[in-house]
Amino acid sequence: MWGRIRKSGARFVNAMRTVEQTGREARTHNLFEAAAAYVSACAEDDQDRIEETAAWVSPEALSFGVNELACRAVIALARERDESPGAVARALLGLPAA
């Protein structure tokens, strides 16, 4: 059963890859690479890079990747601060403690 899930996940990730032509070589981007570049560009307010990275994968794949990045970042910060992920998420958004 886990083998099927793993294969299905691999097919999904491979389907989300796109190829970008850079000079004479082809460059493949996966959804996590696109999400990392997109979020970095948003943090730096670099509109040209935002538009470029948003085109690397489908909008649905980019949304999934950004969500996954956010989850991992909140978990990492929660571990670092020895707080709950909920408390860290609320603090990052400037919300009062629950």
Side-chain angles (χ1 to χ4, degrees):
M1 180 174 133
W2 292 112
R4 284 184 184 170
I5 293 171
R6 187 170 31 87
K7 285 181 185 178
S8 176
R11 281 194 302 260
F12 174 76
V13 170
N14 287 335
M16 293 299 125
R17 293 179 190 262
T18 63
V19 177
E20 174 186 308
Q21 295 295 329
T22 57
R24 56 178 192 231
E25 63 185 49
R27 174 80 170 102
T28 302
H29 299 282
N30 69 34
L31 65 107
F32 298 116
E33 182 179 25
Y38 179 81
V39 169
S40 298
C42 289
E44 296 168 359
D45 199 26
D46 184 346
Q47 191 60 40
D48 292 335
R49 229 171 93 219
I50 290 170
E51 291 171 7
E52 175 191 347
T53 56
W56 288 355
V57 295
S58 71
E60 296 83 9
L62 184 60
S63 176
F64 175 80
V66 169
N67 182 57
E68 186 65 25
L69 177 60
C71 290
R72 291 180 187 195
V74 167
I75 290 169
L77 280 172
R79 287 179 181 158
E80 186 177 291
R81 296 178 181 182
D82 197 27
E83 296 178 10
S84 73
V88 170
R90 293 184 70 80
L92 288 171
L93 292 171
L95 300 173

